[in-house]
Amino acid sequence: MDVKVFRTFLEVAKVKHFGRAAENLYITQAAVSARIKQLESFFDTQLFIRDRNAIKLTSSGERLIAYAENMVRTLEQSKAELLLTKAHSIQLALAGTPNVWDAYLQHCLSVVVDAFSGYAFSAETLSRGQMHRALLERTLDIAVGLDPLKSDELNCIKVADLELVLVSTEPKPQQLAMQQGYVYVDWGTRFASEHAARHSKMPPPFLRTSTGRIALDFILQKGGASYLPASMVNGFIATQQLYLVEDAEPWFRPIYLSYRKDAAALEQITQVKRLLDKTEPAMPFLLQQAGEQARS
């Protein structure tokens, strides 16, 4: 089975439209239909329900997504690693959840890459479940998220604290900020339980999202309030586009780094871990130190 068939299936599942999937993949709509029929024939099951202009995944299609993602990811990584081996280089695959990239990893990635001369990195955004599965299947070296990944095969350590502050587009006391245009961001399972306890009497949020960047852009356009990383909003506070809700306590969320205990690139992973295993104020010195170690 050609991996292109699985890429086509994933694109159709993503956009819910055969024509748009064809445009995104630069192939004809007939080719998209033929590849989906090939998959359905191979698995002897229907993957999509076609109802006029609406396309929905069947239960079989939903179950196939995880296997298709793993197959495509494994093939892409194996191809990249073989090319890198030919060039006498080492690749490290790093992934984080969307919120961790926006609030933490994005600030570190370029410096980490510069610190490891002769190495190649791949970086992607994955959900907590996808990272856990990819680590166990050895298609990922390092996973960074707001919730620990638990497995006997993995090491999981806290590497930083993410400071969340309640900000509003207008100077408001906490009670009003939580009642008028509040946007709830999913900052992990522990945050959800603590948030429910701390704000048990507040009305339902105006908007829920899994990404801090979406919340930030939304309240800047429409007005409102949200718990967002201090590193993300400090510039907007300085220009008075956002205001700290002064009677609201900051929230500190741990950031966890996970990797396989028996990883093939354990030495390199340990160097990256040392680089990230501090809060941001101490990071510049450690970045320089790790870079010198990696080059030696």
Side-chain angles (χ1 to χ4, degrees):
M1 181 68 66
D2 194 332
V3 73
K4 293 179 182 178
V5 176
F6 290 99
R7 287 198 182 101
T8 303
F9 163 74
L10 290 173
E11 188 63 30
V12 176
K14 177 182 176 182
V15 302
K16 303 292 192 299
H17 194 278
F18 277 62
R20 286 197 294 272
E23 292 175 2
N24 294 343
L25 295 170
Y26 301 99
I27 59 177
T28 64
Q29 187 168 336
V32 171
S33 298
R35 291 177 182 181
I36 298 302
K37 287 181 181 178
Q38 183 182 353
L39 265 184
E40 291 180 328
S41 176
F42 180 81
F43 290 110
D44 193 23
T45 187
Q46 186 176 2
L47 300 174
F48 295 98
I49 299 173
R50 303 161 180 85
D51 183 13
R52 295 182 182 180
N53 293 328
I55 296 178
K56 299 180 180 179
L57 283 164
T58 64
S59 58
S60 296
E62 292 281 1
R63 289 195 294 271
L64 182 59
I65 284 180
Y67 295 103
E69 288 176 338
N70 180 55
M71 183 171 294
V72 171
R73 189 185 306 115
T74 301
L75 180 66
E76 289 176 346
Q77 183 169 1
S78 62
K79 181 179 179 180
E81 288 183 352
L82 288 174
L83 290 173
L84 288 166
T85 300
K86 186 177 179 180
H88 305 289
S89 185
I90 299 175
Q91 181 177 20
L92 288 177
L94 171 69
T97 56
N99 274 332
V100 166
W101 274 114
D102 288 342
Y104 181 70
L105 278 179
Q106 197 65 49
H107 303 294
C108 310
L109 180 61
S110 61
V111 186
V112 171
V113 171
D114 289 343
F116 287 80
S117 177
Y119 289 37
F121 284 80
S122 68
E124 57 183 326
T125 299
L126 296 175
S127 69
R128 178 174 178 268
Q130 288 173 322
M131 291 195 302
H132 190 260
R133 186 163 57 247
L135 282 174
L136 295 179
E137 293 169 351
R138 300 180 186 275
T139 59
L140 182 66
D141 297 304
I142 301 169
V144 186
L146 293 167
D147 290 306
L149 301 182
K150 298 179 180 179
S151 171
D152 291 339
E153 299 175 61
L154 304 179
N155 276 332
C156 182
I157 63 168
K158 174 183 170 182
V159 293
D161 276 308
L162 177 65
E163 182 184 3
L164 302 174
V165 292
L166 183 60
V167 293
S168 176
T169 49
E170 296 178 8
K172 293 180 181 179
Q174 180 176 339
Q175 185 175 0
L176 286 179
M178 301 296 289
Q179 292 177 351
Q180 300 176 0
Y182 175 65
V183 178
Y184 176 88
V185 183
D186 179 9
W187 294 109
T189 53
R190 182 178 171 185
F191 175 83
S193 61
E194 292 179 357
H195 187 280
R198 184 184 290 191
H199 302 296
S200 59
K201 297 181 180 180
M202 68 169 283
F206 182 74
L207 173 71
R208 287 178 175 269
T209 177
S210 61
T211 307
R213 181 61 59 180
I214 291 176
L216 174 61
D217 292 343
F218 183 85
I219 65 174
L220 287 174
Q221 291 177 9
K222 299 293 186 181
S226 185
Y227 278 102
L228 294 171
S231 60
M232 184 184 291
V233 299
N234 282 338
F236 297 98
I237 294 172
T239 58
Q240 295 188 332
Q241 291 175 272
L242 293 175
Y243 298 88
L244 278 175
V245 178
E246 294 183 359
D247 56 341
E249 296 181 7
W251 225 309
F252 292 91
R253 294 291 296 116
I255 295 176
Y256 297 96
L257 183 146
S258 301
Y259 58 96
R260 288 191 63 96
K261 295 177 181 177
D262 60 349
L266 191 58
E267 180 180 350
Q268 292 78 19
I269 292 171
T270 301
Q271 290 178 344
V272 175
K273 180 185 70 173
R274 289 172 182 164
L275 197 61
L276 301 181
D277 193 11
K278 293 292 179 180
T279 55
E280 290 187 27
M283 192 173 292
F285 168 74
L286 290 169
L287 290 173
Q288 181 181 0
Q289 185 179 57
E292 292 172 355
Q293 292 175 352
R295 295 187 186 96
S296 61

